Amino acid sequence: MTNWIDTHCHLDARELGVDADDVVARAAAAGVMHCVIPAVAVSNFQTVRLLAEQFDYSYALGIHPLCVPQAQDADLIALDAELSLRQADPRLVAVGEIGLDFFVPELMVPAMRERQETFYREQLKLAHKHGLPVILHVRRSADRLLKHLRDIRPIGGWTGIAHAFNGSQQQAKEFIKLGFKLGFGGAVTYETALQLRRLATGLPLTALVMETDSPDIPPHWLYTTAAQRALGQAQGRNEPAELPRIAQQVASLRGVTVQALAAATTANALQALPKLRELALC
Ligand SMILES: [Zn+2]
């Protein structure tokens, strides 16, 4: 069987948490041998860690830009303390999910843009301090993210993942140049996602990692339109077990076998998040 790593799965989300055992069993049956569970706020730090322990997965700790409006300054201190406390934990593989979101209107008002940038910069500094990679949320914010990554650059350079990447070719190149891998998931399965498909097809194979971002970003076969939902058809739930089918589409876009894509993206994930190696995934 072909083995995959889902580099971004919110297993603690309400939609998945209700039957996490089944979600994980289906993932394993589909060949998804490992999931990285990023945190979004101080309030779920413990949950992501316990889930990672329970299922032999890994986790990241950070404050998500969408959670910045509710976050307190003290949360950055709490993150620093937790990163120190868990320093020797092989399952703690990154600081994340952190970043900037310039799509959601409430986050676009000047005061909130500034607050997001403060949280992003401070968390980059913490990643630097604790010697960890970063998992980045990029939404209409690639250039600002890149600017701060250049400002706060560890001596050996960055490692990490720009997750659910959907920027330009040029921005992709800049992230790669800084040491990042780019995460691709369900969005690439939509035939209308031309730019994203061009990226998934044309970027060097060494730059790609696979992810589901489940329960978000359902692939097209799970997506229901607003009209279908109005008629009572539920939105399909994305979960890690969907990863091989999503990856199949990336493999066919690139004209490579799924085995080749699995081998390359697994190696890339281990490079982006080096502590995964300690978990004996390879
Ligand atoms: Zn996420």
Side-chain angles (χ1 to χ4, degrees), residues 86-108:
R86 307 292 166 199
Q87 195 177 23
D89 184 351
R91 297 186 192 285
L92 171 62
V93 295
V95 169
E97 163 174 8
I98 66 170
L100 297 169
D101 193 305
F102 295 154
F103 175 75
V104 176
E106 305 87 86
L107 293 174
M108 287 290 288

Side-chain angles (χ1 to χ4, degrees), residues 19 28 49-50 62 73 84 91 103 125-126 158-159 166-167 169 199 207 210 234 236 269 273-274:
D19 61 344
R49 178 172 53 79
L50 293 176
D73 291 349
S84 297
R91 297 186 192 285
F103 175 75
K125 288 182 196 163
L126 289 177
W158 286 108
T159 54
N166 197 1
Q169 189 87 31
L199 282 173
M210 295 305 306
L273 308 173

